[in-house]
């Protein structure tokens, strides 16, 4: 039984994914830098961004591993989901209670969500490019050790 390898993503999609990641995370960080928030509030939102990005990439990798037949433990898979949902919940609670203008709250929420989506797309592209390069060289790792 042969496995169908994913096609290599186009350069335009790879570029758009990276651009979305830089725009999303960059605007979030510039917004924090220019904000009048206290340093501890800035740290809270910065940590949520980093935690959310890591959780999104980890979840994407876990989902993809499972689709490709690579063993992912249920506890790790659940932890990925909990981490992603927790980062979104914590951002929501933080923004809900923040003394920011509604437009600023929307700015942070949208740049956060854009960053998470873009991180998943970039991770997918990195993996697809690596698989297509491995397939071109005749080497395909089954993921089993």
């Amino acid at each position: 039984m042969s496995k169908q390898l994913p096609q290599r993503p186009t350069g335009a999609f790879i570029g758009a994914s990276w651009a979305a990641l830089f725009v999303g995370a960059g605007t979030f960080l510039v917004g924090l830098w220019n904000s009048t928030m206290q340093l501890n509030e800035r740290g809270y939102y910065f940590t949520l961004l980093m935690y959310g990005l890591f959780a999104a990439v980890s979840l994407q990798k876990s989902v993809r591993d499972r689709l490709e037949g690579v063993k992912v433990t249920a506890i790790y898979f659940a932890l990925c989901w909990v981490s992603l949902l927790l980062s979104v919940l914590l951002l929501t609670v933080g923004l809900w209670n923040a003394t920011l203008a509604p437009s600023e709250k929307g700015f942070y929420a949208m740049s956060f969500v854009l960053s998470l989506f873009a991180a998943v797309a970039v991770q997918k592209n990195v993996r697809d490019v690596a698989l297509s390069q491995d397939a071109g060289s005749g080497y395909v790792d089954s993921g089993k050790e």
Side-chain angles (χ1 to χ4, degrees), residues 27-38:
T27 56
F28 190 93
L29 294 173
V30 168
L32 283 181
W33 182 266
N34 292 324
S35 73
T36 58
M37 292 182 212
Q38 294 181 5

Side-chain angles (χ1 to χ4, degrees), residues 7 12-13 20 24 27 34 38-39 45 48 52 59 69-70 73 84 87-89 92 100 102 104 121 134 142-144:
Q7 289 185 329
F13 185 65
T27 56
N34 292 324
Q38 294 181 5
L39 190 57
Y45 290 113
L48 281 180
L59 179 60
V70 177
T73 62
L84 182 63
S87 70
V88 172
L89 176 66
T92 303
L100 299 171
E104 290 176 291
D134 289 346
S142 67
K144 297 178 183 170

Side-chain angles (χ1 to χ4, degrees), residues 61-62 65-74 76 142-144:
K61 183 182 180 336
S62 298
D65 282 350
R66 281 185 161 196
L67 287 173
E68 293 176 356
V70 177
K71 177 81 172 139
V72 176
T73 62
Y76 186 77
S142 67
K144 297 178 183 170

Side-chain angles (χ1 to χ4, degrees), residues 1-2 5 11 18 24 34 56 60 71 86 96 110 133 143 145:
M1 176 194 315
S2 73
L5 294 174
W18 279 103
N34 292 324
Q60 191 280 338
K71 177 81 172 139
L86 187 59
W96 185 271
M110 292 310 296
Q133 287 174 344
E145 297 178 9

Side-chain angles (χ1 to χ4, degrees), residues 130-140:
L131 282 174
S132 70
Q133 287 174 344
D134 289 346
S137 69
Y139 171 77
V140 178

